[in-house]
Amino acid sequence: MTTESTPLHSNGESEDAAYSLLYLDTIDEIQENWKWILTVGILNLFTGLACLICPWLATQVSELMLVGVIFFSGVLNATAVCFRNSESLSTVYRNHIFLLGIGQIVLAVIMFNHPNTTLTILTLMVAIIFMGIGSLQMAATREQHNLAARGLLFLSGGLTILLSVGILIFMPISRWITIGVLIGTNLINLGSTRIILAFYGRSLSKDDRATNEQWRYYMEANLS
């Protein structure tokens, strides 16, 4: 007798049952908190649009946030050794943490005092990362002949490399907009995804909830 296949069917295996329970818990969280998810998604979307409209401002804000994170991380590392129990850390390890903190503070001060150089270095890092990702994608399509969507992956890798080359060609102008555009694009994608999830959670009815509860009891019985 063939058992009907469903997304939530465990087939008597504990791993599948645990995965199904996790799936049901996720659906319940989305249904219960869809208003918060929608609110955060809308904020992400509008923030991303603002970043795309003013990418130079978003780039500068991102740079200041990065400098702030490095600075306060350095302060915490430099001061943490003073409040830790001396017996729990060796002298060498304490000195390493302290010097790391001092180095982070110095680096943050240098980055703050040389914003143009900092943006140039960060933009070059982005271009190098993009070039590496694109090269890996194109190399994977050449070695994995049975790879699904091989042509699309090759095209994506080529476009990523072209993007990195464009960033390098349009330096120093690109240093003022690259990071802001990337942040804006990611925020729009994140916001759109959350909005879609929120409307999905809102569309779930009480009957769907009751069905999910029945599946949960069934899966918990399989795990016991």
Side-chain angles (χ1 to χ4, degrees), residues 1-208:
M1 180 177 179
T2 304
T3 304
E4 183 182 357
S5 177
T6 66
L8 303 180
H9 193 74
S10 70
N11 295 325
E13 298 180 4
S14 59
E15 292 183 0
D16 291 340
Y19 175 81
S20 298
L21 284 174
L22 179 61
Y23 171 82
L24 292 173
D25 291 338
T26 303
I27 295 298
D28 288 342
E29 287 292 328
I30 294 173
Q31 186 178 19
E32 292 175 0
N33 302 300
W34 70 267
K35 292 182 180 180
W36 286 107
I37 298 174
L38 180 62
T39 302
V40 175
I42 293 174
L43 290 175
N44 290 150
L45 187 61
F46 279 100
T47 305
L49 290 174
C51 290
L52 293 182
I53 294 173
C54 302
W56 58 90
L57 180 60
T59 299
Q60 294 179 63
V61 172
S62 302
E63 180 188 15
L64 289 176
M65 291 179 63
L66 176 62
V67 171
V69 169
I70 295 175
F71 179 80
F72 287 108
S73 176
V75 171
L76 290 176
N77 285 330
T79 58
V81 295
C82 301
F83 300 98
R84 293 291 299 272
N85 186 0
S86 59
E87 297 179 357
S88 61
L89 296 174
S90 65
T91 303
V92 176
Y93 188 61
R94 288 167 61 89
N95 291 337
H96 284 172
I97 296 178
F98 180 78
L99 292 176
L100 175 62
I102 297 299
Q104 288 176 302
I105 294 173
V106 173
L107 177 62
V109 172
I110 294 174
M111 292 173 66
F112 182 78
N113 290 326
H114 298 83
N116 292 341
T117 303
T118 300
L119 283 180
T120 300
I121 295 174
L122 293 176
T123 305
L124 288 175
M125 291 176 61
V126 170
I128 292 172
I129 292 172
F130 278 7
M131 191 169 293
I133 293 174
S135 301
L136 288 175
Q137 287 179 333
M138 297 182 72
T141 58
R142 294 186 61 181
E143 298 201 0
Q144 302 294 332
H145 298 286
N146 296 326
L147 193 64
R150 185 164 172 258
L152 290 177
L153 184 61
F154 184 84
L155 178 62
S156 174
L159 292 176
T160 304
I161 292 177
L162 288 177
L163 177 60
S164 65
V165 172
I167 292 174
L168 296 175
I169 290 176
F170 289 101
M171 290 285 288
I173 298 176
S174 60
R175 72 184 179 187
W176 293 104
I177 63 175
T178 298
I179 297 176
V181 170
L182 289 177
I183 293 175
T185 303
N186 286 330
L187 284 174
I188 289 176
N189 290 334
L190 183 61
S192 301
T193 302
R194 283 176 170 165
I195 291 173
I196 293 172
L197 282 176
F199 279 110
Y200 171 71
R202 182 176 180 272
S203 67
L204 295 176
S205 63
K206 294 182 179 179
D207 293 336
D208 296 326

